[in-house]
Amino acid sequence: MPPSAVARLTDFRTGASVATDDLSAVSDALSPHSRSHPLADPLAPPADSPLWRKSFLLGAATASYQIEGAVNEDGRLPCIWDTFSATPGKVLAGDTGAVACDHYHRWEADIDMLMGLGLEGYRLSIAWPRVMDEAGQPNRKGLDFYRRLLARLKEKGITTFVTLYHWDLPQHLEDRGGWLNRDTAYRFADYADLMSRELAGSVDAWATLNEPWCSAYLGYGNGHHAPGLANPRFATQAMHHLLLAHGLAVPALRANDPASQKGIVANVGRGTANSERAADQRAAHLFEVQHNAWILDPLLKGAYPGDLLELWPGTEPLVLEGDLRTISAPLDFLGINYYFRTNVESDGAHGFREVPPEGVERTQMGWEVYPDGLRDLLTGFKAAYRNLPPIYITENGMASDDTVIGGHVDDTQRISFLRRHLAAVDQAIQAGVDVRGYFLWSLMDNFEWAFGYERRFGIVHVDYATQKRTIKRSAEWVSAFLKERKARS
Ligand code: IFM
């Protein structure tokens, strides 16, 4: 990306656009090394912003398959990502999660690193194939790993958000149809029941699923993710079973671990129309139906959006009596993952096609940096859902092609990205949305699914050859913010 592509920043206080046509100017303005108080510049949150309050949780997120490695240790069973990544052509450079960040062996040092940065929250996931055998019995060694990890986090006063399913479905369940098989939803409820009995009292918040859109659409609709099936009819059925799994799990979590919060994590997308034409406006609406309402409507309104089938005629899933009641049981929180917007126009039929805007700032993923999308989605959800639960931003961040130079990683764009997205969260809160926390993605570089290790999302750099962790400038910035916040409270 040429430096001039970073053209405007949003002033944290006024929301106004601040012109800057030079990345190094941004770097000077934002680097914690250029000022004693990095947040004392005009882009800092206003003094009365809730982001300064300790009650607004600030943390980092990871996921089991992306960091743990140790895929054959202590009785862990194969999962669909072991199979998928071992299939030639599915993952960039043939990368797999076999070793990843070796977190299974280095977790203590990684938690010390999290603590050292002053992060207050940690969102992690449990690997289902590590903790339960094929007969549904607990795998004690796998469970002990999470027991130790969570005990340490609790001892250190870190607030824990634990996701039960971040895509590592046991392969033996996929062999029986995976999320196309209704029975998988019941197996998931058994797993949630076991975990919440075993780990009761050591988790602050349980999230059933991470990003069911990705599991259903990328896994079964277009095949870009494991298990690699490509049929829209499969996607709608898989989505229904995923949401049913969520709905069946919540009562077990409530019964076994009443003090914790229960919720789900959805990735959401901002769709904007390429023109004022009614057809393009409709296309943007349909984009958001497919990305957001497909998941949020059944959860929060107890019904699938009617226009979903306009996009995918003939793909109605099999829904049994009572399923939507199960799915729409009240939540304590909704996790929102946001990364970018998609600009669309009508495809001339019933759908939309992407029209990528030119001259905009992008990340290593090619995703457009569009903080306003986060604010607009949050305020839109508040308007659309009467019973919207409190929100945590459970993921937000960006990939960049980071390298260690002289012991440092100068990921200036990430600092700017985080700052602008926090500003968007601040604006949503000012507009009345109940947002209670923010987890950046990710604590460290990790296995980025179909993109393997090439795409780096961490605020900590990982050298995969040596497993050396290097704190990036963005981590120093986050740390300085937290330190300053602590000093002010
Ligand atoms: O790395 C992923 C994560 O597992 C789920 N949400 C999006 C991230 C970046 O693509």
Side-chain angles (χ1 to χ4, degrees):
M1 188 195 66
S4 60
V6 176
R8 305 191 79 77
L9 294 174
T10 303
D11 185 311
F12 219 132
R13 213 168 352 226
T14 62
S17 252
V18 177
T20 167
D21 54 9
D22 178 1
L23 242 189
S24 61
V26 180
S27 167
D28 289 348
L30 303 183
S31 167
H33 299 277
S34 63
R35 289 163 182 267
S36 52
H37 291 302
L39 295 172
D41 65 45
L43 298 172
D48 62 348
S49 167
L51 271 61
W52 283 110
R53 292 185 211 131
K54 180 115 179 79
S55 55
F56 186 87
L57 183 65
L58 279 164
T62 63
S64 47
Y65 191 75
Q66 294 180 272
I67 64 166
E68 285 178 3
V71 293
N72 295 317
E73 269 179 66
D74 293 340
R76 179 188 177 278
L77 302 176
C79 80
I80 54 174
W81 271 94
D82 296 316
T83 311
F84 189 73
S85 60
T87 309
K90 297 296 184 191
V91 174
L92 205 63
D95 290 342
T96 76
V99 178
C101 307
D102 196 31
H103 174 74
Y104 192 73
H105 301 116
R106 296 168 192 264
W107 65 272
E108 286 171 285
D110 288 339
I111 297 309
D112 287 348
M113 183 174 80
L114 177 100
M115 294 290 307
L117 294 174
L119 291 161
E120 295 159 352
Y122 184 44
R123 173 173 177 247
L124 64 130
S125 78
I126 292 178
W128 186 355
R130 213 182 267 298
V131 294
M132 214 172 180
D133 72 12
E134 237 182 289
Q137 293 305 307
N139 172 24
R140 291 283 155 209
K141 284 189 174 163
L143 257 166
D144 283 349
F145 168 70
Y146 297 106
R147 213 188 290 287
R148 286 193 297 269
L149 180 65
L150 290 165
R152 174 67 62 88
L153 289 162
K154 198 181 174 88
E155 176 196 325
K156 301 285 183 193
I158 303 284
T159 300
T160 48
F161 273 56
V162 175
T163 306
L164 284 164
Y165 184 68
H166 200 124
W167 309 352
D168 33 12
L169 184 72
Q171 182 62 43
H172 64 89
L173 291 177
E174 181 57 36
D175 295 343
R176 277 178 244 140
W179 291 110
L180 297 177
N181 182 349
R182 187 178 170 94
D183 189 56
T184 300
Y186 295 93
R187 299 287 72 79
F188 179 79
D190 292 345
Y191 159 57
D193 179 48
L194 176 71
M195 286 306 103
S196 51
R197 269 188 284 121
E198 293 282 344
L199 300 174
S202 45
V203 170
D204 293 296
W206 292 99
T208 51
L209 308 176
N210 178 70
E211 303 183 351
W213 186 89
C214 293
S215 301
Y217 186 68
L218 302 180
Y220 294 84
N222 72 10
H224 293 179
H225 278 190
L229 302 180
N231 181 334
R233 169 80 186 79
F234 291 172
T236 57
Q237 192 63 64
M239 176 64 88
H240 184 65
H241 292 153
L242 281 151
L243 294 176
L244 180 65
H246 155 82
L248 293 169
V250 170
L253 298 172
R254 288 205 187 286
N256 297 335
D257 194 10
S260 61
Q261 297 183 72
K262 287 90 193 163
I264 184 169
V265 170
N267 58 306
V268 295
R270 179 68 174 137
T272 55
N274 196 43
S275 82
E276 293 302 318
R277 285 176 51 220
D280 291 344
Q281 299 290 325
R282 175 84 185 145
H285 166 76
L286 288 175
F287 175 90
E288 291 198 359
V289 165
Q290 205 234 72
H291 286 78
N292 310 336
W294 185 16
I295 299 100
L296 298 183
D297 277 16
L299 288 169
L300 301 173
K301 290 183 173 170
Y304 284 103
D307 355 27
L308 186 66
L309 295 179
E310 203 177 296
L311 280 163
W312 291 325
T315 64
E316 200 158 357
L318 183 63
V319 176
L320 300 190
E321 173 71 28
D323 282 1
L324 284 156
R325 231 183 357 266
T326 303
I327 290 169
S328 58
L331 299 170
D332 301 330
F333 75 94
L334 175 66
I336 291 291
N337 295 354
Y338 172 78
Y339 287 91
F340 59 96
R341 76 140 168 185
T342 307
N343 190 52
V344 297
E345 65 179 10
S346 165
D347 67 357
H350 299 292
F352 51 81
R353 72 174 148 249
E354 193 178 344
V355 189
E358 284 175 17
V360 296
E361 180 187 351
R362 295 186 182 278
T363 71
Q364 191 193 15
M365 297 295 284
W367 296 344
E368 183 186 351
V369 178
Y370 194 74
D372 288 355
L374 177 56
R375 179 201 57 211
D376 295 346
L377 284 169
L378 291 171
T379 51
F381 295 153
K382 184 174 160 64
Y385 301 107
R386 210 176 14 88
N387 53 346
L388 187 71
I391 288 177
Y392 286 85
I393 306 303
T394 33
E395 283 181 32
N396 176 236
M398 58 161 284
S400 50
D401 186 11
D402 300 323
T403 44
V404 183
I405 300 171
H408 299 286
V409 180
D410 229 331
D411 56 336
T412 310
Q413 192 193 5
R414 182 172 288 106
I415 297 174
S416 162
F417 180 102
L418 294 174
R419 190 185 277 272
R420 285 177 283 164
H421 285 78
L422 283 165
V425 172
D426 180 62
Q427 289 162 8
I429 297 172
Q430 306 300 342
V433 187
D434 185 3
V435 188
R436 303 211 176 157
Y438 174 98
F439 292 85
L440 57 88
W441 183 269
S442 173
L443 174 63
M444 57 186 148
D445 296 338
N446 58 50
F447 177 77
E448 178 51 27
W449 307 111
F451 296 98
Y453 296 102
E454 193 199 79
R455 310 290 160 94
R456 294 181 175 273
F457 273 91
I459 56 167
V460 173
H461 181 275
V462 176
D463 177 336
Y464 296 107
T466 61
Q467 291 297 344
K468 182 174 165 35
R469 276 65 164 146
T470 303
I471 305 291
K472 300 183 190 178
R473 296 284 192 217
S474 57
E476 292 174 358
W477 177 79
V478 170
S479 185
F481 177 84
L482 287 160
K483 208 165 161 195
E484 174 75 14
R485 189 167 92 153
K486 214 167 174 185
R488 289 188 188 191
S489 68

